[in-house]
């Protein structure tokens, strides 16, 4: 049974998880993500109170949630319970995040329900999909970068305490600066900086670009003005909509059409949040070998070579840097 987050400031169940029971193992990854972020959630069957039933508790949980996380797969589309939950979410006008575990085409009902809703595809790049989900949840729930990083730091500190208690010798050597622990700390800091930068690159619109009124989230990357009712978009959504409507184009053209700075567009492609359409003649170049690629900075071959090349130990790196500080 999954445990609820113990953070005192998260009183309401903000995320409802809709899924097929046959995808339970994959869903546990999403549960862990929510726990690490300090986001409370509702998930059957463990949160059905004793003496109650699905039909009584599920509609109530959907009505109370802020975000409806739909875990899509072939089995989910075959589930009558998932179908009923999606219908209830639509009726209650909930923000739906579809998280696709596989490439099963949507049946007519789901195509109707999820028309113009941004999907998160996890079939080929699950880690990237989890990062995208994290960003969407934090924006929709109004979480700041500090809250996310503090949650990450608490998890990492807990893990560090366990490691320290299990190996006093590693702790002693880490204090001397000569063990592999330095590399792990540096890697954690790098990942934390990257997560923080992701939110800075694509912030939520602060006000309506048409009338200056307040905006509220209605879907992934879409915000509606409470005054004039017009839709506003974050930078990622603007660029993605442009690519879907017009196909690939140079960054300077996309920037001129969307108003998104070129460096932000380059960031989306470099970090693999966006990719050039498959049948477009436009391609990026691999930074290592120059091969044509559709997203990122390196081709798959260079990624594999880089991954298989062992990183220098902290001691080797220290020796290689001697004399570089002054010339």
């Amino acid at each position: 049974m999954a445990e609820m987050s113990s953070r005192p400031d998260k009183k309401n169940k903000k995320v409802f998880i809709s899924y097929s029971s046959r995808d339970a193992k994959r869903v546990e990854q999403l549960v862990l993500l929510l726990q690490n972020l300090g986001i409370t959630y509702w998930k059957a069957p463990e949160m059905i109170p004793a003496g109650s039933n699905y039909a009584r508790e599920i509609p109530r949980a959907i009505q109370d949630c802020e975000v409806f996380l739909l875990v899509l797969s072939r089995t989910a589309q075959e589930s009558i319970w998932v179908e009923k939950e999606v219908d209830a979410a639509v009726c209650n006008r909930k923000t739906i995040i579809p998280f696709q575990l596989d490439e099963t085409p949507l049946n007519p009902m789901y195509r109707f329900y999820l028309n113009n809703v941004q999907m998160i595809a996890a079939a080929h790049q699950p880690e990237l999909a989890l990062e995208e989900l994290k960003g969407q949840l934090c924006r929709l729930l109004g979480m700041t970068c500090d809250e996310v990083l503090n949650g990450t730091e608490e998890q990492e500190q807990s893990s560090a305490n366990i490691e320290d208690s299990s190996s006093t010798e590693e702790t002693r050597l880490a204090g001397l600066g000569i063990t592999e622990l330095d590399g792990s700390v540096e890697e954690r800091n790098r990942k934390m900086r990257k997560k923080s930068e992701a939110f800075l690159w694509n912030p939520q619109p602060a006000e309506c670009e048409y009338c200056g009124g307040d905006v509220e989230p209605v879907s992934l990357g879409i915000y509606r003005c409470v005054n004039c009712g017009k839709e506003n978009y974050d930078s990622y959504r603007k660029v993605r909509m442009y690519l879907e409507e017009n196909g690939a184009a140079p960054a300077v053209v996309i920037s001129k059409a969307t108003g998104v700075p070129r460096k932000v567009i380059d960031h989306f492609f470099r970090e693999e949040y966006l990719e050039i359409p498959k049948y477009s003649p436009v391609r990026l170049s691999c930074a290592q070998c120059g091969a044509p690629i559709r997203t990122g900075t390196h081709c798959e071959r260079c990624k594999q070579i880089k991954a298989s090349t062992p990183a220098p130990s902290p001691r080797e790196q220290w020796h290689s840097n001697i004399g570089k500080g002054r010339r």
Side-chain angles (χ1 to χ4, degrees), residues 25-38:
K25 290 185 178 180
R26 298 286 300 277
V27 172
E28 288 306 315
Q29 294 180 324
L30 305 181
V31 169
L32 181 60
L33 173 67
L34 296 178
Q35 291 175 342
N36 288 343
L37 291 175

Side-chain angles (χ1 to χ4, degrees), residues 75 123 200:
T75 56
L200 297 177

Side-chain angles (χ1 to χ4, degrees), residues 3-70:
E3 297 180 356
M4 291 290 295
S5 171
S6 60
R7 291 196 177 191
D9 58 330
K10 307 294 182 182
K11 296 180 180 179
N12 298 322
K13 299 177 179 63
K14 292 190 173 183
V15 176
F16 181 96
I17 305 177
S18 177
Y19 71 104
S20 166
S21 59
R22 285 179 282 181
D23 296 324
K25 290 185 178 180
R26 298 286 300 277
V27 172
E28 288 306 315
Q29 294 180 324
L30 305 181
V31 169
L32 181 60
L33 173 67
L34 296 178
Q35 291 175 342
N36 288 343
L37 291 175
I39 298 175
T40 55
Y41 60 91
W42 196 99
K43 172 178 172 286
E46 56 263 34
M47 293 178 182
I48 301 289
S52 189
N53 56 50
Y54 285 80
R56 181 181 298 114
E57 298 299 329
I58 287 179
R60 184 184 305 165
I62 293 175
Q63 186 175 6
D64 293 341
C65 79
E66 296 184 39
V67 174
F68 184 90
L69 177 56
L70 172 60

Side-chain angles (χ1 to χ4, degrees), residues 269-282:
F269 281 101
R270 183 172 64 251
E271 298 298 326
E272 300 186 1
Y273 291 108
L274 291 171
E275 66 178 13
I276 296 173
K278 183 176 181 180
Y279 298 105
S280 172
V282 178

Side-chain angles (χ1 to χ4, degrees), residues 229-246:
K230 292 185 178 180
E231 290 186 346
N232 293 254
Y233 310 100
D234 60 22
S235 298
Y236 175 83
R237 184 73 175 183
K238 288 179 180 178
V239 176
R240 180 161 180 164
M241 289 172 60
Y242 178 89
L243 293 174
E244 291 175 351
E245 295 175 3
N246 303 280

